[in-house]
Amino acid sequence: ATAALQYEVVAGLGVSDYGLWTMFVVYSGYLSAGHFGFVDGAFLSWAAGSRRCSYAEFRRGLYFLLGEQAAVTASISGLAMMWPFSPVVACSAVMAAVATLNNYLAMYLIASGRVMIEGGVRIAATVAAIVATAVPLRRSLPLTTIAWAYIAANAAVVLVTLGALHWRCRSNSHQVGLVQAPQSNRAMTLTFMSTGFPIMLANYAMVAAGSMD
């Protein structure tokens, strides 16, 4: 599926626009570090069973991420106005926020034992991204339009999955792991970030080392 998307992009863009598309993809990956390890820490805490993996706690974390990612995206987009290629950087910041929310959703689905749903989400996101990118490419639309279509497709999959998850877990009765008294939002955030930040840095270091080989 990734190869099909890459084929569509290479076939539909010129050399200059393909370079900007590559910049968009790379920047999106690195800017997704803006959660500062929250997503990694949440998954480690849930998967290890040291914290209850409940929909109520997932939702609290989601509200925090929505606010935090909105602030990070706004800050990066504002700073990008002083850089060349500012539209690409702004698109990358928004895509990074969508990817962060998607990863947080995926980590919860895996930790709570909903692996099949997580797999379906990944497939749906990939197919939606290919279709959303291929249509504007074949119509020779501007690169920023293609990038926004790609972002919108991924965001739509996240929203639909969140809606389905909310409907299924509306009773808040499903939980896995150690049952404990709920922490405050601040304590939960600090726990997740302090646990996940070193893991996130290690992951990015391995990706950077691999790209230099």
Side-chain angles (χ1 to χ4, degrees):
T2 304
L5 177 59
Q6 189 73 2
Y7 173 79
E8 289 288 344
V9 172
V10 172
L13 296 177
V15 175
S16 176
D17 280 348
Y18 179 69
L20 292 175
W21 174 266
T22 303
M23 184 185 300
F24 162 69
V25 173
V26 172
Y27 282 6
S28 298
Y30 282 105
L31 291 177
S32 61
H35 62 86
F36 304 110
F38 183 91
V39 174
D40 304 83
F43 177 69
L44 288 174
S45 298
W46 292 335
S50 58
R51 291 185 59 80
R52 61 178 182 175
C53 182
S54 67
Y55 178 67
E57 180 159 290
F58 163 80
R59 192 169 55 185
R60 289 168 59 205
L62 178 65
Y63 292 154
F64 165 77
L65 273 182
L66 286 171
E68 190 257 358
Q69 287 297 301
V72 170
T73 301
S75 301
I76 293 174
S77 299
L79 291 173
M81 301 307 294
M82 300 181 291
W83 302 341
F85 313 119
S86 57
V88 175
V89 178
C91 288
S92 299
V94 176
M95 183 61 220
V98 172
T100 297
L101 294 173
N102 192 11
N103 287 336
Y104 179 65
L105 173 59
M107 295 301 99
Y108 172 73
L109 291 174
I110 293 173
S112 61
R114 298 180 173 95
V115 180
M116 295 298 292
I117 300 177
E118 193 275 336
V121 171
R122 293 295 180 185
I123 294 172
T126 303
V127 172
I130 292 173
V131 173
T133 307
V135 172
L137 273 173
R138 294 181 183 277
R139 295 184 178 182
S140 301
L141 296 179
L143 179 64
T144 50
T145 303
I146 298 171
W148 283 115
Y150 180 81
I151 293 168
N154 283 275
V157 172
V158 173
L159 289 174
V160 170
T161 309
L162 282 173
L165 185 63
H166 177 71
W167 179 82
R168 188 165 185 174
C169 302
R170 57 193 181 279
S171 65
N172 291 331
S173 61
H174 182 84
Q175 61 184 32
V176 176
L178 181 65
V179 178
Q180 54 188 208
Q183 286 183 318
S184 66
N185 289 339
R186 181 174 179 272
M188 179 189 72
T189 301
L190 291 176
T191 298
F192 287 169
M193 285 188 171
S194 61
T195 304
F197 189 70
I199 304 299
M200 185 192 73
L201 288 182
N203 290 335
Y204 276 93
M206 287 190 294
V207 170
S211 64
M212 291 186 292
D213 289 341

